[in-house]
CSV table of all heavy atoms in Angstrom, one decimal:
chain,number,residue,atom,x,y,z
A,1,GLY,N,-10.5,-8.6,16.3
A,1,GLY,CA,-9.7,-9.9,16.7
A,1,GLY,C,-8.6,-10.2,15.8
A,1,GLY,O,-8.0,-11.2,16.1
A,2,LYS,N,-8.2,-9.3,15.0
A,2,LYS,CA,-7.0,-9.5,14.2
A,2,LYS,C,-5.9,-8.6,14.4
A,2,LYS,O,-6.2,-7.4,14.8
A,2,LYS,CB,-7.4,-9.7,12.7
A,2,LYS,CG,-8.4,-10.8,12.3
A,2,LYS,CD,-8.7,-11.0,10.8
A,2,LYS,CE,-9.6,-12.2,10.5
A,2,LYS,NZ,-9.8,-12.2,9.1
A,3,ASP,N,-4.7,-8.8,14.0
A,3,ASP,CA,-3.6,-7.9,14.0
A,3,ASP,C,-3.9,-6.9,12.9
A,3,ASP,O,-4.4,-7.1,11.9
A,3,ASP,CB,-2.3,-8.5,13.9
A,3,ASP,CG,-2.0,-9.5,15.0
A,3,ASP,OD1,-2.4,-9.3,16.1
A,3,ASP,OD2,-1.2,-10.4,14.7
A,4,ARG,N,-3.3,-5.7,13.1
A,4,ARG,CA,-3.3,-4.6,12.1
A,4,ARG,C,-2.3,-5.1,11.0
A,4,ARG,O,-1.2,-5.7,11.2
A,4,ARG,CB,-2.7,-3.4,12.7
A,4,ARG,CG,-2.7,-2.2,11.7
A,4,ARG,CD,-2.4,-0.9,12.5
A,4,ARG,NE,-3.2,-0.4,13.5
A,4,ARG,CZ,-3.1,0.7,14.3
A,4,ARG,NH1,-2.1,1.4,14.0
A,4,ARG,NH2,-4.2,0.9,15.1
A,5,GLU,N,-2.8,-4.9,9.7
A,5,GLU,CA,-2.0,-5.4,8.6
A,5,GLU,C,-1.7,-4.2,7.6
A,5,GLU,O,-2.5,-3.4,7.5
A,5,GLU,CB,-2.7,-6.5,7.9
A,5,GLU,CG,-3.9,-6.2,7.3
A,5,GLU,CD,-4.6,-7.3,6.5
A,5,GLU,OE1,-3.8,-8.4,6.1
A,5,GLU,OE2,-5.7,-7.2,6.0
A,6,PHE,N,-0.6,-4.4,6.9
A,6,PHE,CA,-0.2,-3.3,5.8
A,6,PHE,C,-1.1,-3.6,4.7
A,6,PHE,O,-1.5,-4.7,4.3
A,6,PHE,CB,1.3,-3.7,5.6
A,6,PHE,CG,1.7,-2.9,4.4
A,6,PHE,CD1,2.1,-1.6,4.4
A,6,PHE,CD2,1.7,-3.7,3.2
A,6,PHE,CE1,2.6,-0.9,3.3
A,6,PHE,CE2,2.2,-2.9,2.0
A,6,PHE,CZ,2.6,-1.6,2.1
A,7,VAL,N,-1.5,-2.4,4.1
A,7,VAL,CA,-2.2,-2.4,3.0
A,7,VAL,C,-1.4,-1.7,1.8
A,7,VAL,O,-1.3,-2.4,0.8
A,7,VAL,CB,-3.6,-1.6,3.2
A,7,VAL,CG1,-4.2,-1.4,1.8
A,7,VAL,CG2,-4.4,-2.1,4.2
A,8,ALA,N,-0.9,-0.5,2.0
A,8,ALA,CA,-0.2,0.1,0.9
A,8,ALA,C,0.6,1.3,1.5
A,8,ALA,O,0.4,1.7,2.6
A,8,ALA,CB,-1.1,0.7,-0.1
A,9,ALA,N,1.7,1.6,0.8
A,9,ALA,CA,2.5,2.8,1.2
A,9,ALA,C,3.0,3.4,-0.1
A,9,ALA,O,3.3,2.9,-1.1
A,9,ALA,CB,3.7,2.3,2.1
A,10,ILE,N,3.3,4.8,0.1
A,10,ILE,CA,4.0,5.6,-0.9
A,10,ILE,C,5.1,6.5,-0.4
A,10,ILE,O,4.8,7.1,0.7
A,10,ILE,CB,2.8,6.4,-1.7
A,10,ILE,CG1,3.4,7.2,-2.8
A,10,ILE,CG2,2.1,7.3,-0.8
A,10,ILE,CD1,2.5,7.7,-3.8
A,11,GLY,N,6.2,6.5,-0.8
A,11,GLY,CA,7.3,7.2,-0.3
A,11,GLY,C,7.4,8.5,-1.0
A,11,GLY,O,6.6,8.9,-1.8
A,12,TRP,N,8.3,9.4,-0.5
A,12,TRP,CA,8.5,10.7,-1.0
A,12,TRP,C,9.1,10.6,-2.4
A,12,TRP,O,8.7,11.5,-3.3
A,12,TRP,CB,9.5,11.4,-0.1
A,12,TRP,CG,9.9,12.7,-0.6
A,12,TRP,CD1,9.1,13.9,-0.5
A,12,TRP,CD2,11.0,13.3,-1.3
A,12,TRP,NE1,9.8,15.0,-1.1
A,12,TRP,CE2,10.9,14.7,-1.5
A,12,TRP,CE3,12.2,12.7,-1.6
A,12,TRP,CZ2,11.9,15.3,-2.1
A,12,TRP,CZ3,13.2,13.4,-2.2
A,12,TRP,CH2,13.1,14.6,-2.4
A,13,THR,N,9.9,9.8,-2.8
A,13,THR,CA,10.5,9.5,-4.1
A,13,THR,C,9.4,8.9,-5.0
A,13,THR,O,8.8,7.9,-4.7
A,13,THR,CB,11.8,8.8,-4.1
A,13,THR,OG1,12.7,9.4,-3.2
A,13,THR,CG2,12.4,8.6,-5.4
A,14,ALA,N,9.3,9.5,-6.2
A,14,ALA,CA,8.5,8.9,-7.2
A,14,ALA,C,8.8,7.4,-7.5
A,14,ALA,O,9.9,7.1,-7.7
A,14,ALA,CB,8.4,9.8,-8.5
A,15,GLY,N,7.8,6.6,-7.5
A,15,GLY,CA,8.0,5.2,-7.9
A,15,GLY,C,8.2,4.3,-6.6
A,15,GLY,O,8.1,3.1,-6.8
A,16,LEU,N,8.3,4.9,-5.4
A,16,LEU,CA,8.3,4.1,-4.3
A,16,LEU,C,7.0,3.8,-3.8
A,16,LEU,O,6.4,4.5,-3.0
A,16,LEU,CB,9.2,4.8,-3.2
A,16,LEU,CG,10.7,4.8,-3.5
A,16,LEU,CD1,11.5,5.5,-2.3
A,16,LEU,CD2,11.3,3.4,-3.5
A,17,ILE,N,6.4,2.8,-4.2
A,17,ILE,CA,5.1,2.3,-3.9
A,17,ILE,C,5.0,0.9,-3.6
A,17,ILE,O,5.7,0.1,-4.3
A,17,ILE,CB,4.0,2.7,-5.0
A,17,ILE,CG1,3.9,4.2,-5.2
A,17,ILE,CG2,2.6,2.2,-4.7
A,17,ILE,CD1,3.0,4.7,-6.4
A,18,ASP,N,4.3,0.5,-2.6
A,18,ASP,CA,4.1,-0.9,-2.1
A,18,ASP,C,2.7,-1.3,-1.9
A,18,ASP,O,1.9,-0.4,-1.2
A,18,ASP,CB,5.1,-1.2,-1.0
A,18,ASP,CG,5.2,-2.7,-0.7
A,18,ASP,OD1,5.0,-3.4,-1.5
A,18,ASP,OD2,5.6,-2.9,0.4
A,19,TYR,N,2.3,-2.5,-2.3
A,19,TYR,CA,0.9,-2.9,-2.0
A,19,TYR,C,1.0,-4.4,-1.4
A,19,TYR,O,1.9,-5.2,-1.8
A,19,TYR,CB,0.0,-3.0,-3.3
A,19,TYR,CG,-0.3,-1.7,-3.8
A,19,TYR,CD1,0.4,-1.3,-4.9
A,19,TYR,CD2,-1.3,-0.9,-3.4
A,19,TYR,CE1,0.2,0.0,-5.6
A,19,TYR,CE2,-1.6,0.3,-4.0
A,19,TYR,CZ,-0.9,0.8,-5.1
A,19,TYR,OH,-1.1,2.0,-5.7
A,20,SER,N,0.2,-4.6,-0.5
A,20,SER,CA,0.1,-6.0,-0.1
A,20,SER,C,-0.5,-6.9,-1.2
A,20,SER,O,-1.3,-6.3,-2.0
A,20,SER,CB,-0.8,-6.2,1.2
A,20,SER,OG,-2.2,-5.9,1.0
A,21,ASP,N,-0.2,-8.1,-1.2
A,21,ASP,CA,-0.7,-9.0,-2.2
A,21,ASP,C,-2.2,-9.0,-2.2
A,21,ASP,O,-2.8,-9.3,-3.3
A,21,ASP,CB,-0.2,-10.4,-2.1
A,21,ASP,CG,1.3,-10.5,-2.5
A,21,ASP,OD1,1.8,-9.5,-3.0
A,21,ASP,OD2,2.0,-11.5,-2.0
A,22,SER,N,-2.8,-9.0,-1.1
A,22,SER,CA,-4.3,-9.1,-1.1
A,22,SER,C,-5.1,-7.9,-1.7
A,22,SER,O,-6.2,-8.1,-2.1
A,22,SER,CB,-4.7,-9.2,0.4
A,22,SER,OG,-4.5,-8.0,1.1
A,23,VAL,N,-4.4,-6.8,-2.0
A,23,VAL,CA,-5.1,-5.8,-2.5
A,23,VAL,C,-4.5,-5.3,-3.9
A,23,VAL,O,-5.0,-4.4,-4.6
A,23,VAL,CB,-5.1,-4.5,-1.6
A,23,VAL,CG1,-5.7,-4.7,-0.3
A,23,VAL,CG2,-3.7,-3.8,-1.5
A,24,LYS,N,-3.3,-5.7,-4.3
A,24,LYS,CA,-2.6,-5.4,-5.5
A,24,LYS,C,-3.6,-5.7,-6.6
A,24,LYS,O,-4.3,-6.7,-6.8
A,24,LYS,CB,-1.4,-6.3,-5.6
A,24,LYS,CG,-0.5,-5.7,-6.8
A,24,LYS,CD,0.7,-6.5,-6.8
A,24,LYS,CE,1.6,-6.3,-5.6
A,24,LYS,NZ,2.9,-7.0,-5.7
A,25,GLY,N,-3.7,-4.6,-7.5
A,25,GLY,CA,-4.5,-4.7,-8.6
A,25,GLY,C,-5.9,-4.2,-8.4
A,25,GLY,O,-6.8,-3.9,-9.4
A,26,ARG,N,-6.3,-4.0,-7.1
A,26,ARG,CA,-7.7,-3.6,-6.8
A,26,ARG,C,-7.6,-2.1,-6.1
A,26,ARG,O,-8.5,-1.3,-6.3
A,26,ARG,CB,-8.4,-4.5,-5.9
A,26,ARG,CG,-8.5,-5.8,-6.4
A,26,ARG,CD,-9.5,-6.7,-5.5
A,26,ARG,NE,-8.8,-7.0,-4.2
A,26,ARG,CZ,-9.4,-6.6,-3.1
A,26,ARG,NH1,-10.5,-5.9,-3.0
A,26,ARG,NH2,-8.8,-6.9,-2.0
A,27,PHE,N,-6.6,-1.8,-5.4
A,27,PHE,CA,-6.4,-0.7,-4.6
A,27,PHE,C,-5.4,0.2,-5.2
A,27,PHE,O,-4.4,-0.4,-5.7
A,27,PHE,CB,-6.1,-0.9,-3.1
A,27,PHE,CG,-7.2,-1.5,-2.2
A,27,PHE,CD1,-8.4,-2.0,-2.8
A,27,PHE,CD2,-6.9,-1.6,-0.9
A,27,PHE,CE1,-9.3,-2.7,-2.1
A,27,PHE,CE2,-8.1,-2.1,-0.1
A,27,PHE,CZ,-9.1,-2.6,-0.7
A,28,THR,N,-5.5,1.5,-5.0
A,28,THR,CA,-4.5,2.4,-5.5
A,28,THR,C,-4.1,3.5,-4.6
A,28,THR,O,-5.1,4.2,-4.1
A,28,THR,CB,-4.9,3.1,-6.9
A,28,THR,OG1,-5.1,2.1,-8.0
A,28,THR,CG2,-3.8,4.1,-7.4
A,29,ILE,N,-3.1,3.7,-4.2
A,29,ILE,CA,-2.5,4.7,-3.1
A,29,ILE,C,-2.1,5.9,-4.1
A,29,ILE,O,-1.2,5.6,-5.0
A,29,ILE,CB,-1.6,4.2,-2.2
A,29,ILE,CG1,-1.3,5.3,-1.0
A,29,ILE,CG2,-0.3,3.8,-2.8
A,29,ILE,CD1,-0.5,4.8,0.1
A,30,SER,N,-2.3,7.2,-3.6
A,30,SER,CA,-1.8,8.3,-4.2
A,30,SER,C,-1.6,9.3,-3.2
A,30,SER,O,-2.3,9.3,-2.0
A,30,SER,CB,-2.7,8.8,-5.3
A,30,SER,OG,-4.0,9.2,-4.9
A,31,ARG,N,-0.9,10.4,-3.5
A,31,ARG,CA,-0.7,11.6,-2.6
A,31,ARG,C,-0.8,12.8,-3.3
A,31,ARG,O,-0.3,13.0,-4.4
A,31,ARG,CB,0.6,11.4,-1.9
A,31,ARG,CG,1.8,11.4,-2.7
A,31,ARG,CD,3.2,11.1,-2.0
A,31,ARG,NE,3.5,12.1,-1.0
A,31,ARG,CZ,4.5,12.0,-0.1
A,31,ARG,NH1,5.2,10.7,-0.1
A,31,ARG,NH2,4.9,12.8,0.7
């Protein structure tokens, strides 16, 4: 019943990482 929401992303260039405020500090994205 809810819209799809962004959680985290990681770009090709090192250091380009983004987290939603709701998961920041709890979730970690890696590749």
Side-chain angles (χ1 to χ4, degrees):
K2 297 183 179 180
D3 293 334
R4 183 175 296 180
E5 65 174 346
F6 169 82
V7 175
I10 182 167
W12 179 75
T13 302
L16 288 177
I17 297 177
D18 191 20
Y19 296 99
S20 68
D21 290 340
S22 63
V23 306
K24 188 176 297 183
R26 300 188 297 119
F27 291 13
T28 302
I29 187 172
S30 61
R31 62 189 292 171

